[in-house]
Amino acid sequence: MVAGDRVIDRRHFVAGAGAAVVAGPAKASVAVDRFGTSASQGSVILLYGSDGLTNSGRYEFAANMIAGAGYTVLLPRYFEATGDRRARYSEIKNKFRAWQEAIETVTGAQQGRFALVGFSLGGALALALAARDRRVRAVVDFFGFLPPGLERALLPPTLILHGDADRVVPVSNAGAIERLIKSNSGTVQSHIYPGEGHGLSLASWPDAIARTQAFLRAHL
């Protein structure tokens, strides 16, 4: 599929069935949008937040910027595994594992090195996934929360981007993630944006994307 200067290749991975590819629609499938072309720099799995693709422009912009730096970017529509368009805060705890398993059907198909870039809920999922898969070379966490059960996890190099005025996922989560990684002798960088709330403003996005590109170049 081509939209303007975007190249999107939509595929389906069967949730709970390894890396099987479905030729057409499937009841329990997860669609994946691909941005860019195969590249030697590696692949990046981009994970949206609790708003899903109801605000698709934000995630497509990020995917295009990362793809423009020479990476293949995959955007799994992991909410399809639970039939959601958005995540209700009251259901995140109960559905977190199902979403993680749906994304693993996509990461399981990857060959070679790859990174995870997650926003809010997607950031938490990225950390949880990286703790289980040693092939993940880097994580970029945009204002995500610290998922439980990672106290002794060995995480790959991680970049944390968060606003200090975030009322949805308090910036204390950024500090907790950083301390956890350092306590396990991991590599972590963080940048806290003064006065920024959840999602960051348009004024901060260019800097956040530039930091993401630089971090991926260094570690992927």
Side-chain angles (χ1 to χ4, degrees):
M1 178 185 302
V2 179
D5 59 354
R6 292 181 290 131
V7 178
I8 305 176
D9 176 20
R10 184 158 298 150
R11 302 181 179 184
H12 284 79
F13 293 79
V14 178
V21 179
V22 181
K27 183 177 181 181
S29 66
V30 176
V32 180
D33 296 343
R34 188 182 72 179
F35 297 75
T37 59
S38 298
S40 60
Q41 287 92 329
S43 298
V44 176
I45 313 296
L46 192 147
L47 305 175
Y48 50 64
S50 61
D51 55 352
L53 292 179
T54 60
N55 185 15
S56 61
R58 169 193 296 180
Y59 303 115
E60 290 179 359
F61 172 79
N64 277 309
M65 292 300 98
I66 295 171
Y71 301 97
T72 298
V73 181
L74 302 178
L75 176 61
R77 300 186 173 214
Y78 64 88
F79 281 173
E80 291 180 356
T82 52
D84 294 298
R85 291 184 67 250
R86 301 176 62 97
R88 298 180 178 86
Y89 295 141
S90 61
E91 296 180 350
I92 287 177
K93 181 178 180 180
N94 292 334
K95 294 183 177 181
F96 192 89
R97 180 59 183 161
W99 294 328
Q100 182 176 332
E101 290 178 349
I103 297 165
E104 285 175 338
T105 67
V106 179
T107 60
Q110 299 308 300
Q111 297 181 356
R113 62 192 187 274
F114 65 94
L116 298 169
V117 176
F119 298 81
S120 191
L121 168 60
L125 284 162
L127 293 168
L129 289 158
R132 291 166 52 89
D133 192 338
R134 296 299 175 84
R135 296 174 305 143
V136 179
R137 298 290 292 272
V139 171
V140 180
D141 166 35
F142 279 77
F143 40 86
F145 62 87
L146 176 62
L150 299 190
E151 290 77 11
R152 297 184 179 181
L154 299 177
L155 293 169
T158 300
L159 171 64
I160 302 168
L161 302 169
H162 215 117
D164 70 358
D166 193 329
R167 295 184 179 182
V168 177
V169 179
V171 70
S172 57
N173 282 269
I177 295 166
E178 183 172 5
R179 288 192 298 273
L180 183 149
I181 295 173
K182 286 182 176 178
S183 71
N184 291 316
S185 301
T187 298
V188 60
Q189 297 178 22
S190 65
H191 184 76
I192 307 302
Y193 292 90
E196 287 283 15
H198 196 65
L200 303 181
S201 68
L202 291 177
S204 294
W205 265 80
D207 179 81
I209 293 298
R211 290 176 185 273
T212 298
Q213 292 171 331
F215 193 79
L216 293 174
R217 283 195 298 270
H219 297 287
L220 182 56

